[in-house]
Amino acid sequence: MAQIRIKRSTGSTAPSSSALANAELAFTEGDDILYYGEGTSGSTAASVIKIGGSGAFCDLTSAQTLAGNKTFSNNVVVNGNLTVSGTTTTVNTTNTTLKDNLLELNSGVSSNSSDAGLLIERGSTGNNAFIGWDESVDKFTIGT
């Protein structure tokens, strides 16, 4: 008969792998986190994995802030608005399709002090190309 053993701690420190056996659970009351001992390394777990509680999982029904880098290996579908805050947004695709018929550049600026347009990277064999608005002459310009 298999047994489930849960160790309880009033602290808030994750148990070490030597404190748990394979498939043994530990709960720390100080931070409300549940840990799982994984893999056999003699009579102790090879590693300890956070499996439940604060910061252990993504809440699927309410708002939550997730820290750290996240990588998704398959498709991601967003139903609703997507807000990206940062200094650089990189899209690494072969083709980008936009349904919008207007693109707004320089959104939110309070003065017309910056040029705006499209910069076309041409690699190491030629100068980049530019199509856009030149504020210094108050005209559209096309050039390299």
Side-chain angles (χ1 to χ4, degrees):
M1 171 189 293
Q3 293 182 350
I4 296 177
R5 229 174 117 189
I6 300 177
K7 294 184 174 186
R8 179 181 153 260
S9 165
T10 57
S12 58
T13 304
S16 66
S17 58
S18 62
L20 291 178
N22 182 41
E24 190 171 50
L25 301 173
F27 179 74
T28 56
E29 287 182 346
D31 54 6
D32 292 330
I33 296 178
L34 184 63
Y35 296 91
Y36 171 75
E38 178 185 54
T40 303
S41 178
S43 61
T44 64
S47 62
V48 174
I49 299 172
K50 189 187 302 187
I51 61 169
S54 178
F57 57 91
C58 182
D59 187 331
L60 300 177
T61 58
S62 61
Q64 181 180 21
T65 299
L66 303 175
N69 295 334
K70 306 295 183 264
T71 300
F72 298 91
S73 58
N74 291 312
N75 297 334
V76 175
V77 176
V78 178
N79 292 320
N81 296 327
L82 174 65
T83 301
V84 178
S85 299
T87 56
T88 303
T89 301
T90 303
V91 179
N92 185 9
T93 61
T94 302
N95 293 305
T96 302
T97 303
L98 302 174
K99 189 172 183 178
D100 292 333
N101 55 347
L102 292 174
L103 298 177
E104 181 177 354
L105 304 177
N106 261 355
S107 178
V109 298
S110 58
S111 68
N112 58 347
S113 60
S114 300
D115 295 343
L118 300 174
L119 182 64
I120 302 164
E121 173 69 49
R122 297 183 62 224
S124 62
T125 59
N127 293 332
N128 293 342
F130 175 77
I131 302 169
W133 183 259
D134 185 344
E135 284 292 346
S136 67
V137 294
D138 211 21
K139 295 182 190 181
F140 281 100
T141 185
I142 298 174
T144 56

